Amino acid sequence: MKRYRNGEIWDFEHQMPVAAGAGGVILGLDGGTTSTVCICMPILPFSDPFPDPVPVLARAVAGCTNHNSVGEAAARETLEQVMAEALANSGSNRSVVRAVCLAISGVNHPTDQQRILDWLRDIFPSHVRLYVQNDAVAALACGTLGKLHGCVLIAGTGTIAYGFTEDGREARAAGAGPTLGDWGSGYGIAAQALTAVVRANDGRGPDTKLTSSILEELGLSSPDELIGWTYADPSWARIAALVPVVVSCAEAGDEVANKILFDSVQELGLSVKAVVQRLGLCGPGVMFPLSCALLHPSSSEGKDSFPLVMVGGVLEANKRWDIGTEVIKCISKGYPGAVPIRPKVEPAVGAALLAWNFCMKESLKEAFKR
Amino acid sequence: MKRYRNGEIWDFEHQMPVAAGAGGVILGLDGGTTSTVCICMPILPFSDPFPDPVPVLARAVAGCTNHNSVGEAAARETLEQVMAEALANSGSNRSVVRAVCLAISGVNHPTDQQRILDWLRDIFPSHVRLYVQNDAVAALACGTLGKLHGCVLIAGTGTIAYGFTEDGREARAAGAGPTLGDWGSGYGIAAQALTAVVRANDGRGPDTKLTSSILEELGLSSPDELIGWTYADPSWARIAALVPVVVSCAEAGDEVANKILFDSVQELGLSVKAVVQRLGLCGPGVMFPLSCALLHPSSSEGKDSFPLVMVGGVLEANKRWDIGTEVIKCISKGYPGAVPIRPKVEPAVGAALLAWNFCMKESLKEAFKR
C-alpha cells in the first residue's frame, strides 16, 4: 500500500474528476488483526434479491486495524488510507459517499463504537450515514447479504460465534482468546497437537503420527526442540498454521489427531448452540414435562429455520476430513432448522450490504414521518 | 541487593580476614525465573545421616537468573553477585570454596551446562569443583538431602516432574509451558477457572461460584472484562495467583472448581507416573500374561520404594482441599513404594548437598586410584 504523508490522504480528490459512482457509493470495511479490506459499492436500486454477483467498484487492502494491537492513532490512519485508496481506485471521491460501515475486530463496547464514530464524523460530511460494528457482524452479513438475522461461526486462528434475532437482540460465545478457552480455533487445534507430541515424548500420552509430521513441517529434529520453538515467537497465527498437518494426520488414520479434530468440532458446535439457545433462534419448542426434557434435552427446542454462516480457514478445508461439514452435522442434530451458508462474498462486502440495509430502513422510517 | 560497579564484585575479599569456614565451604545456588538464592555451607565431616538442621553459614537472595528471560550477561552478573554476597555474609572468601553447585532454570542441554561451567571456571581456581544442573535437580536433592535418586514433582506457577535412578539415568515429564500442556500447574488451574467463568457467562458451561469469587478478587464488575484483564498482562504468575480462589470455591462445594482441582491432581499424578515408569523406579514387577496386564495395567509394576519429593505452592496448600495429599494418594495407588517427602530445607541447600555428595564420590574414586 502507498504510504501517505500527513494531510495528503485525500489530495487525490482535487486531481481527478468523478468518473464513476455519480449516483452515490457505499464503503464497506472489514478490519481484522491480520489485514483490512475496504470495498466501494454503488448504491443499488431497491432490489430483492440482491444482484448476483454483488457489484463492487473497487477494493483496497491494508494491514492491521485492531486498536488493541496497533494503537488508536495507527488504526485510524490505516483506516483512512484504505478508504481513500478504495475511493480513488473507483474513480470517485467523498462527495458521492452515502454511507460507511466499519466492521473492526476489537470493537466490543459502545464506548469503542462512539470513539470511532467521532473521528469518522470529522472525515465525512454530516449527511453520510456511519455505522461501526464488530467484525463478526460483517461476517454474518456477508452470508445473509446484509440481513442481521441468524448466527455466524468464525473459526480461523481464533474463533467466535455471534448471533442476532430479527428484533435486534444479540449474543456471542467464545472469542475470548486461547487462555480463556477458545479450544476449537485453529490455534486451539494446533496447540493440542503440539501438546500431544510433547506428551507422547515424555510418556504421558500415546504415540502419534503427529510427532514425525510436525517435526518435519517445522524442520526440527526432536520433540524437546518444540519448547524453544514455542517460546521463540508466541504469535497465535504461527501456531495455527499447523492445522493442515493435523488434518493430514487425521486423514491418515492417526487416532490422536482424529480425537483433536472431533473435540474441536464439539467445541465449535457448542459455541453456536450457546448463541442459538440464548437468542431462541430455533423458536419456541414443544413443552415436555421436566423429566422428559432432562432425558431428551433437545426435545424441548423449536425447529424454526435460521441462517448459520460459516467463515474462516478452519471451516473452509475442502478435504476428506472436513471440519466445517462435521460442525454442521453436529448443530443440525439439535437444531434441524439451521440453514448452513458458506458465503460467496467477503466480509467487507457484508459490511457494505449492512450499511445499505441500515440506510434503507432509515429512509423508510423518514418517509413514514413525512 | 547492593549493586556493584564493574570489577567490584570481589573487592570485599581484600577488606576482610577469613573468619569462618576456614575448613572449607560449599556454595549452593537455586536460580529461578522469579528469584535466585545462594547459600554457603561449611564442609561437613563425613556423617550419615546429615546433621539436622543442615548448617548454613550465610544466605543471599537476588533476582531472575534464567538466561532465556534476562539474557546471558545479566544472568551471569547476578549469579556472580549473589555468590559474592553469600561469601561476604559468611565472613569467608573464594580461597576457602571447595565446590559450587549452580542449579538454574533454563538449563536443558549439555551446551547450556558447558557455557556456564566455562565462565564459572574464570571466577574460581582450578581445584574448586563446579557443577551445573537444572533447578529441578536441586529441588529433588533438597528432599533427598543430596542423593540423586527418586522423583521430584514441582507445581508452582509451572510444573515439571524429574527423576533419577541410582545408576544415573534421568527422565522428565511436563515442564514445557502452558501452550504445550502443563495443565496441572498453578497457571493451568487458574486458566481453567477463568475459562469456566467465560463459559458460564456465554452459555457454554454450567454456572459456578468461581464467577463472583474471581470477579471480586480482581475488582472487576462483569465476566466480559476478563478478556481485557487477560490481554493487559499475559504473565503466568499473575494468572496463577488465582489458585487460592479456586481452592476456596472447591471447599465451598462448587462442582466446577472441584472438577478443575481433581483434573489437576490427575495431570500431576500422570507426570510422576510417566517418569517412574520410564526409569523403572518402582522396580521390576511380577510378570503377568499380556491379557492380565491389559486388564490390570498396574499389576505388572513393581513395589520397590523410591523417594517422591513434592515442591511448590500448588502442593503446599495446607487446607481442607489439599492438592498435594490428593496427588500422593493418586500415585500411591499405582506405586505403593512411593515415599512422599515434603522438604524441610530449600532447594539452594539441596544444591549445596548435591555438590557435597559429588565431591565425596570423586574423592573416594581418587583415593582408590592411589
Side-chain angles (χ1 to χ4, degrees), chain B residues 221-278:
Chain B
S221 57
S222 108
D224 289 329
E225 294 174 25
L226 283 178
I227 303 177
W229 183 84
T230 315
Y231 279 107
D233 174 359
S235 114
W236 299 344
R238 177 169 169 263
I239 294 192
L242 292 172
V243 169
V245 181
V246 187
V247 172
S248 298
C249 288
E251 289 178 346
D254 184 73
E255 277 185 35
V256 175
N258 269 291
K259 183 170 184 320
I260 290 170
L261 294 190
F262 277 120
D263 287 350
S264 103
V265 167
Q266 294 302 316
E267 280 296 318
L268 296 171
L270 187 61
S271 294
V272 171
K273 286 174 186 173
V275 168
V276 171
Q277 200 146 26
R278 270 162 64 204

Side-chain angles (χ1 to χ4, degrees), chain A residues 18-25 42-43 57 90-92 95-98:
Chain A
V18 173
V25 300
I43 289 275
L57 293 174
S90 71
S92 51
S95 69
V96 294
V97 173
R98 296 287 170 269

Side-chain angles (χ1 to χ4, degrees), chain A residues 172-174 176-177 179-181 183 187 191 194-195 198-199 202-204 226-227 230-231 236 239 267 270-271 274 278, chain B residues 172-174 176-177 179-181 183 187 191 194-195 198-199 202-204 226-227 230-231 236 239 267 270-271 274 278:
Chain A
R172 61 180 270 182
T179 307
L180 300 177
W183 297 323
Y187 175 89
L194 290 167
T195 295
V198 170
R199 291 168 86 92
D202 69 20
R204 285 179 294 159
L226 283 178
I227 303 177
T230 315
Y231 279 107
W236 299 343
I239 295 194
E267 280 297 320
L270 187 60
S271 295
R278 270 162 64 204
Chain B
R172 63 180 269 181
T179 308
L180 300 177
W183 297 323
Y187 175 90
L194 289 168
T195 295
V198 170
R199 291 168 85 92
D202 69 20
R204 285 179 295 159
L226 283 178
I227 303 177
T230 315
Y231 279 107
W236 299 344
I239 294 192
E267 280 296 318
L270 187 61
S271 294
R278 270 162 64 204

Side-chain angles (χ1 to χ4, degrees), chain A residues 121-312:
Chain A
R121 186 46 72 208
D122 293 342
I123 301 173
F124 293 97
S126 62
H127 69 272
V128 178
R129 290 194 164 109
L130 304 175
Y131 309 97
V132 173
Q133 299 284 348
N134 182 286
D135 60 339
V137 181
L140 174 62
C142 76
T144 60
L145 296 182
K147 198 175 168 192
L148 277 193
H149 172 232
C151 184
V152 62
L153 173 66
I154 308 179
T157 297
T159 182
I160 189 170
Y162 213 109
F164 281 87
T165 59
E166 288 184 282
D167 58 359
R169 286 179 302 123
E170 57 188 286
R172 61 180 270 182
T179 307
L180 300 177
D182 287 356
W183 297 323
S185 64
Y187 175 89
I189 291 170
Q192 283 171 77
L194 290 167
T195 295
V197 173
V198 170
R199 291 168 86 92
N201 182 51
D202 69 20
R204 285 179 294 159
D207 282 342
T208 161
K209 202 180 138 53
L210 288 166
T211 302
S212 57
S213 300
I214 288 181
L215 293 180
E216 190 188 337
E217 175 76 17
L218 302 179
L220 302 177
S221 56
S222 106
D224 290 329
E225 294 174 25
L226 283 178
I227 303 177
W229 183 84
T230 315
Y231 279 107
D233 175 359
S235 114
W236 299 343
R238 178 168 169 262
I239 295 194
L242 291 172
V243 169
V245 181
V246 187
V247 172
S248 298
C249 288
E251 288 178 345
D254 185 73
E255 279 185 33
V256 175
N258 269 291
K259 184 172 183 320
I260 290 170
L261 295 190
F262 277 120
D263 287 350
S264 102
V265 167
Q266 294 301 316
E267 280 297 320
L268 296 171
L270 187 60
S271 295
V272 172
K273 286 175 186 172
V275 167
V276 172
Q277 200 146 27
R278 270 162 64 204
L279 295 177
L281 284 176
C282 54
V286 186
M287 288 306 288
F288 286 94
L290 187 62
S291 57
C292 282
L294 285 174
L295 282 171
H296 310 285
S298 70
S299 62
S300 63
E301 307 285 359
K303 296 189 180 345
D304 284 7
S305 97
F306 61 90
L308 171 62
V309 181
M310 312 275 288
V311 177

